[in-house]
Amino acid sequence: MHLTWGGVDCLELAEKFGTPLYVYDTGIIKARCREIRDTFIARWPGSSAHYAAKAFMSRAIVRVIDAEGLGLDVVSGGELYTALSADFPPERIEFNGNAKSREEIDFAVRSGVGRIIVDHPDELAIIAECAKNYGRVQKVLLRVTPGVDAHTHSHIATGQTGSKFGFPLEGAILRDTIRAAKAVKALDVAGLHFHVGSQLFDPQDHISAVDRITALMRDLKAEGFITRELNLGGGFGAVVNPSMSPVKLSGFMNPIMSRLTERCREFGLETPQAIIEPGRWIVSEAGITLYRVENIKELPKVTYIAVNGGMSDNPRFALYQAEYEAVCVSAPDAPAYDRDGGTHVSIVGKCCESGDILIDNAKISRLEAGDIIALYNSGAYTFSMSSRYNCLPRAAVVFVEGGKARVVVERESYEDLVRGQSV
Ligand code: LLP
């Protein structure tokens, strides 16, 4: 029995479309969107969700997210352009991120994005200028740094005191900015935003942030500012393989929303409309990556299984020591092979450095050159973080569902590598 994904034989996918190949089961993505609608949006009136496109961005995913009725969170002119090029309604887009350029802000305001999440006072002045130019009132949220050390890899924690993101809770900058913004008719300062970090498995960090932000909301109310909207960020985790139970969104959102409601009641505040912006949780487990084994090197202490991709299509082990599991697609249930009891098996890529590892200490059946392997849970921050390191053309992306497959991003060619270059 071969591994199938979205009802399609993975060996056939590899033969037909080549490898490395990113494969997404859109049925899983849609089920996640449905879970968001059923357990969050339906339950909390006025709430909404924006898919954080940075996790996996392409025109085809934009169409899926639109059809599922969610909003879209973008962080650059390029992401905004991709979304608009696939006809995503601008009013359901929020423009996020730090260090936005004047050109990006102008593009966002001109396009009519629903919200801009402000990360610096200078941005606000530019937004106001653009909104006046285009005769619009631009809704904005101010991103605050909640001062919470999220339980995750330090590179993907964002809410700690001293973070490069957001306005610090302490000091005058936030209050001065709110005061200045309220005086500008072209701006509608609807509320606040925070994001504690990514790949989290329990709601405690969000709850700690809610505790701090609600105290801030109480103080701001006393100064005449009402927080009508509160964006709670994303960060919900993804599991390593399909036999594990996925994180339930309600496991995060029920306790977070209960705390938010409770604290608002305690402080005599209206509960603000809640927004979330998950990325990984929507796409990570829907995605697998197929590779061909090029060769196997059996050294005394380690066996290297070298595949035809690597850190160029998935830099996540190199950057965060991310954990993955893989199977041989022609024998997904075969037991893990151990050459002589305790041999370390490393699945490595073809890039020219020793850190180019996909799985260190892999548990996988015996493989041979030419076998196709599937790396589970590789739908988030892989294609979107891919590079052309060593001049490896970027891999193709295929969507599968109900036994059908279609290419949504073509494989790059050697010609693509040199396009735009002069000698
Ligand atoms: N909102 C904001 C403001 C964010 O910065 C992020 C992620 C998200 C939402 C979505 O977080 P998610 O739901 O996907 O956890 N490249 C790293 C992850 C970086 C996350 C950056 N911000 C990785 O491969 O793990």
Side-chain angles (χ1 to χ4, degrees):
M1 258 279 288
H2 294 174
L3 179 73
T4 61
W5 205 247
V8 187
D9 184 316
C10 290
L11 209 51
E12 282 172 23
L13 285 172
E15 273 161 18
K16 186 158 178 203
F17 302 110
T19 50
L21 187 70
Y22 302 102
V23 184
Y24 286 86
D25 179 347
T26 43
I28 298 179
I29 297 175
K30 292 173 189 171
R32 292 296 164 98
C33 295
R34 201 178 319 124
E35 189 174 334
I36 292 176
R37 290 197 306 272
D38 293 349
T39 67
F40 175 63
I41 297 177
R43 172 125 199 239
W44 309 98
S47 63
S48 61
H50 291 74
Y51 164 62
K54 72 196 86 176
F56 165 60
M57 185 47 152
S58 67
R59 301 177 76 207
I61 188 73
V62 165
R63 293 305 325 134
V64 173
I65 296 298
D66 184 20
E68 291 299 312
L70 300 192
L72 201 65
D73 173 66
V74 302
V75 294
S76 68
E79 285 190 351
L80 177 59
Y81 181 85
T82 306
L84 296 174
S85 82
D87 293 329
F88 198 89
E91 62 279 6
R92 282 199 274 130
I93 297 179
E94 57 169 37
F95 193 78
N96 214 326
N98 73 317
K100 301 176 189 74
S101 70
R102 175 176 286 271
E103 290 73 24
E104 287 175 320
I105 291 173
D106 188 85
F107 181 23
V109 176
R110 178 164 29 99
S111 307
V113 301
R115 296 174 184 80
I116 299 181
I117 317 296
V118 178
D119 186 75
H120 192 284
D122 291 356
E123 281 174 14
L124 205 61
I126 303 170
I127 297 168
E129 204 182 300
C130 296
K132 276 181 211 154
N133 282 347
Y134 298 115
R136 294 181 35 119
V137 174
Q138 180 63 55
K139 187 188 272 194
V140 298
L141 303 183
L142 301 187
R143 179 168 182 172
V144 295
T145 320
V148 170
D149 288 323
H151 295 84
T152 189
H153 192 283
S154 63
H155 290 188
I156 55 176
T158 46
Q160 67 283 7
T161 304
S163 162
K164 77 166 176 170
F165 299 104
F167 289 74
L169 296 186
E170 312 73 25
I173 310 178
L174 176 65
R175 282 156 166 97
D176 289 351
T177 306
I178 291 177
R179 200 170 316 113
K182 275 178 57 186
V184 181
K185 284 207 181 62
L187 295 175
D188 170 20
V189 190
L192 304 172
H193 169 288
F194 71 82
H195 174 70
V196 284
S198 201
Q199 184 65 340
L200 301 170
F201 287 93
D202 98 40
Q204 198 45 54
D205 297 320
H206 288 85
I207 290 174
S208 305
V210 162
D211 283 349
R212 286 163 162 252
I213 303 301
T214 44
L216 172 71
M217 285 161 51
R218 173 198 57 197
D219 298 348
L220 292 176
K221 186 185 175 195
E223 295 160 30
F225 175 73
I226 308 286
T227 305
R228 288 161 17 231
E229 293 186 3
L230 178 61
N231 186 320
L232 306 153
F236 320 121
V239 297
V240 174
N241 72 47
S243 64
M244 294 165 80
S245 319
V247 165
K248 284 210 177 323
L249 190 70
S250 57
F252 272 89
M253 296 325 296
N254 290 353
I256 295 169
M257 291 304 293
S258 303
R259 183 66 141 247
L260 177 64
T261 315
E262 236 169 69
R263 294 274 291 180
C264 286
R265 197 179 307 122
E266 187 186 325
F267 292 150
L269 302 166
E270 268 302 301
T271 305
Q273 295 187 342
I275 303 172
I276 53 171
E277 46 190 33
R280 186 189 318 268
W281 183 83
I282 296 179
V283 291
S284 191
E285 293 158 40
I288 57 172
T289 314
L290 303 180
Y291 298 95
R292 187 182 62 231
V293 175
E294 294 294 10
N295 57 47
I296 296 173
K297 214 172 259 181
E298 299 200 328
L299 302 181
K301 292 205 175 113
V302 58
T303 294
Y304 287 115
I305 296 165
V307 301
N308 63 341
M311 65 191 294
S312 46
D313 53 76
N314 183 349
R316 298 195 64 257
F317 180 87
L319 287 171
Y320 323 109
Q321 298 76 53
E323 243 183 273
Y324 286 106
E325 284 181 18
V327 289
C328 179
V329 304
S330 54
D333 299 319
Y337 170 67
D338 192 350
R339 179 156 49 101
D340 44 23
T343 307
H344 194 97
V345 175
S346 228
I347 302 184
V348 297
K350 66 188 268 98
C351 296
C352 298
E353 51 186 282
S354 302
D356 176 23
I357 295 168
L358 289 172
I359 309 181
D360 197 22
N361 203 6
K363 304 284 171 246
I364 192 161
S365 57
R366 179 166 202 165
L367 297 168
E368 287 172 15
D371 279 340
I372 303 295
I373 64 164
L375 198 73
Y376 286 126
N377 176 31
S378 53
Y381 301 107
T382 47
F383 174 71
S384 64
M385 295 181 79
S386 65
S387 73
R388 290 168 164 178
Y389 184 41
N390 292 169
C391 282
L392 301 182
R394 279 199 179 79
V397 183
V398 167
F399 276 8
V400 290
E401 192 176 335
K404 292 206 171 64
R406 66 188 175 106
V407 175
V408 295
V409 181
E410 282 177 16
R411 184 176 303 285
E412 287 183 343
S413 62
Y414 286 156
E415 293 76 41
D416 291 328
L417 294 181
V418 295
R419 180 156 303 130
Q421 296 189 16
S422 54
V423 290

